[in-house]
Amino acid sequence: MTQKVRVRFAPSPTGPLHIGGVRTALFNYLFAKKHKGDFILRIEDTDQNRFVEGAEQYIVDSLNWCGIPFDEGPSSPTAKGNTFGKYGPYRQSERKHLYKKFAQDLIEKGMAYYAFDTAEKLDFHRKDHEEKGKTFIYNWHNRLKLDNSLSMMPEDVQRRIDAGEDYVIRFLTPPDEKLHLTDIIRGDIEIDTNTLDDKVLFKSDGMPTYHLANIVDDHLMEISHVIRGEEWLPSLALHQQLYDAFGWKAPQFAHLPLIMKPVGKGKLSKRDGEKGGFPVFPLSWNESVGYREAGYFPEAVVNFLVLLGWNPGTEQELFTLEELVDSFSLERVNKSGARFDPDKTKWYNQQYMHQKDDATLAEAFLLHLKEKGITSTTNDYVQKVVSLIKDRATFVSDFWELGDYFFVAPTNYDEKAVKKQWKNDTQEIMQNLASFMNGIADFSSENVELEVKKWISEKELSFGKVMPPLRLVLVGDMKGPHIFDIMALIGKEESMERINKAISALA
Ligand code: GLU
């Protein structure tokens, strides 16, 4: 029987989730759904010093907003009451009691040891090595000279523990071995164990470190595939050794490429976002604006994220979530870093804007209108406005800039346009046009266009004498969609009123 696919996203709640983290969650989600498996959220909060209030909720809200909900996790439907089903709880701080026995198990097997070296002592060694141009690594070549149970009588070890001395439990890396690691994306990797340090697994405050808690939980939660960022690749050697030491079958590993800066070298950072004026977080966090608040549609965010590191093998750029579930595979994830392109994120938003129906966009625009004090309009009217301007918009927040004149008459007129369009005879032409308009019974766009064009040729006027000033008086400048669509929408009364108002303002 093949193992059921169970994957986890395991963030530490140390702050807002970077979009790189969202992408990791997304790849886990897609992989799980493709294989009819489970997507689990596990909160890795063993490092209480780095705990940030609100970060866990932020993570949950972000996944939900992106439309990639987890099947199991803190407060998930499967985590009923306090029993949490078979695999919970899903916060490591609530699993604290589980880890110690695993650390002790390794000590008993001779695969881990107690170390009493104080922080000051280790600091001293580090500095001392630095001065000599070397790096201090706690491992096979010096561990017998350091303050640990490897060179102590068992009674002495117990005495120091009983006396309440601080200690850590370190993994005893076997020397002179070649480890063979496999990563789905990176292939086979060989590591010489002599280059590794004896990592801390457990601390005397009763808390496991990331490494121990992570592999114990992956084992107990029956995780089949570990899909995580490239920055965790250096931990793979230790994790593989821990699985072997416990005699557990290791999950398969896939380390995702980094998301790189738009220009230059290195990983995309919060500072890049600040400099380039684009979000790097899914939702706003303190003064950092998120994709949601910047007006992005979650589908657009999912779509641009998935193509950072994965390629479908075709030219297709727009995908629904279902299509992604269908076509996703870890084999098509690249090894090399994926450059982040802020302009492309906007392009995606535009594409989804065009796909959205007018009713949905009108709903969103109505909220903006309310903020602008426009409360007397109707959903139906706003839908019609949206249908005329959405092709030019990237965000719903662009609608106001593109179509404010649908809601308020212009109060001033673009100076340059006035200079160019408002000639000596314009006032008279506009006056005549207004009284002609008054007589048009059917004020639909098509009919007004027909009638006005007829009137222009009957009066032997040129289009250039009528149409540009007409736009100027209705809109306030030369922007906007088809002028007769605008007239039909704002209506006969309003159109005439705007002409008359402009005449007195520009006289
Ligand atoms: N807690 C780690 C993090 O913050 C998880 C790494 C992993 O997935 O193993 O990313």
Side-chain angles (χ1 to χ4, degrees), residues 367-384:
L367 299 176
H368 288 256
L369 288 170
K370 220 166 155 189
E371 277 170 27
K372 300 276 178 201
I374 312 291
T375 48
S376 58
T377 186
T378 65
N379 188 299
D380 188 51
Y381 181 80
V382 177
Q383 278 189 47
K384 288 184 182 134

Side-chain angles (χ1 to χ4, degrees), residues 217-262:
D217 285 348
D218 282 348
H219 172 69
L220 295 178
M221 293 181 181
E222 295 182 33
I223 298 302
S224 62
H225 296 76
V226 168
I227 304 168
R228 61 185 172 192
E230 183 183 303
E231 62 273 31
W232 301 101
L233 191 59
S235 303
L236 181 57
L238 172 65
H239 293 186
Q240 183 64 55
Q241 290 181 95
L242 285 171
Y243 282 105
D244 295 344
F246 286 119
W248 296 337
K249 180 174 178 283
Q252 285 183 262
F253 292 94
H255 288 86
L256 307 175
L258 295 176
I259 299 181
M260 313 294 283
K261 294 180 188 305

Side-chain angles (χ1 to χ4, degrees), residues 8-14 24 28 42-45 50 92 210 214-215 218 226-229 231-232 235 239 253 255:
R8 83 308 190 267
F9 176 51
S12 300
T14 54
T24 300
N28 273 283
R42 183 172 73 225
I43 300 295
E44 301 211 322
D45 57 350
R50 296 179 61 220
Q92 287 185 329
Y210 153 72
N214 186 269
I215 77 118
D218 282 348
V226 168
I227 304 168
R228 61 185 172 192
E231 62 273 31
W232 301 101
S235 303
H239 293 186
F253 292 94
H255 288 86

Side-chain angles (χ1 to χ4, degrees), residues 177-191:
E177 279 184 22
K178 294 267 181 287
L179 289 176
H180 297 279
L181 311 173
T182 306
D183 182 277
I184 298 173
I185 297 164
R186 277 144 224 281
D188 294 337
I189 305 164
E190 198 185 78
I191 302 272

Side-chain angles (χ1 to χ4, degrees), residues 252-280:
Q252 285 183 262
F253 292 94
H255 288 86
L256 307 175
L258 295 176
I259 299 181
M260 313 294 283
K261 294 180 188 305
V263 283
K265 286 200 186 104
K267 193 171 143 181
L268 179 72
S269 70
K270 185 173 155 199
R271 256 188 67 72
D272 296 319
E274 285 161 1
K275 270 200 304 202
F278 58 84
V280 297

